[in-house]
Amino acid sequence: AYGGSRVYRGGGQAHGTRTVQGRYGRGATSQFTRSCAGGSCTRNSTVTTNSGRTWTRSGTTTRNGPGSWSRESTTTGPNGGSWSRTGTATRNGPGSWSTQGTGTGPNGGTWTRSGTYTRTAPGSWNRSVTSTGPNGNSVNRTVDGACNGWACRRTVTVTGPNGGTATRNRWVLGY
């Protein structure tokens, strides 16, 4: 695979193009524009595959005050279906954040997502996110992580809608 990209920045604005080509004629070109002013940033992007299928996305992120942001975006797929998302992030205190989000799919189904992100000690963190789908079923994903200077450990626990649990541990070693 090969590709190339160009990004231009200046004056609170940026725009760029990126092309990625793979084997057998597969690939895509993406273009984006971004502008920021007065505590709000807007981003628009388009991805077009070599076969002509196109996705577009537009969104805005706004700073609502100290330690509080909101975000909204809409994505439209190649067949005209749209997904919309809104969300907020709030700083609860040093090393602690909470998030809330809602999305609506192309068929009108909605999902919600809420989470907390906490630095539990220097080099350690915890993240817990609950997602609820259009049918009312919820899934909780908890991630505990820690780094000790030469390696990082991450433990992910997922609890499904019927109470079943799966846990995965992963170590990443430094050089």
Side-chain angles (χ1 to χ4, degrees):
Y2 66 92
S5 62
R6 283 186 228 158
V7 176
Y8 305 94
R9 295 181 181 92
Q13 299 182 9
H15 61 94
T17 301
R18 179 177 186 196
T19 301
V20 177
Q21 299 298 322
R23 298 172 76 180
Y24 311 111
R26 294 181 179 167
T29 298
S30 62
Q31 297 177 318
F32 79 94
T33 60
R34 184 187 72 219
S35 61
C36 298
S40 183
C41 292
T42 301
R43 180 182 172 105
N44 296 297
S45 61
T46 301
V47 176
T48 302
T49 66
N50 288 354
S51 64
R53 296 172 55 88
T54 299
W55 288 260
T56 61
R57 183 174 179 180
S58 61
T60 303
T61 301
T62 304
R63 184 174 186 258
N64 301 320
S68 176
W69 290 265
S70 61
R71 178 179 174 185
E72 60 84 19
S73 69
T74 300
T75 302
T76 303
N79 298 323
S82 292
W83 301 262
S84 61
R85 298 185 299 177
T86 61
T88 60
T90 305
R91 184 174 185 237
N92 301 322
S96 177
W97 293 85
S98 61
T99 62
Q100 297 285 333
T102 302
T104 303
N107 298 321
T110 60
W111 54 264
T112 60
R113 185 174 176 163
S114 62
T116 57
Y117 304 84
T118 306
R119 186 181 68 175
T120 54
S124 300
W125 67 93
N126 172 274
R127 178 176 73 193
S128 180
V129 177
T130 299
S131 300
T132 303
N135 59 6
N137 289 336
S138 294
V139 173
N140 180 267
R141 184 173 192 247
T142 301
V143 180
D144 290 301
C147 294
N148 64 11
W150 60 272
C152 294
R153 176 197 48 82
R154 190 174 91 151
T155 302
V156 179
T157 302
V158 177
T159 303
N162 298 321
T165 300
T167 300
R168 181 180 67 200
N169 290 299
R170 182 174 182 194
W171 284 89
V172 177
L173 302 177
Y175 307 9

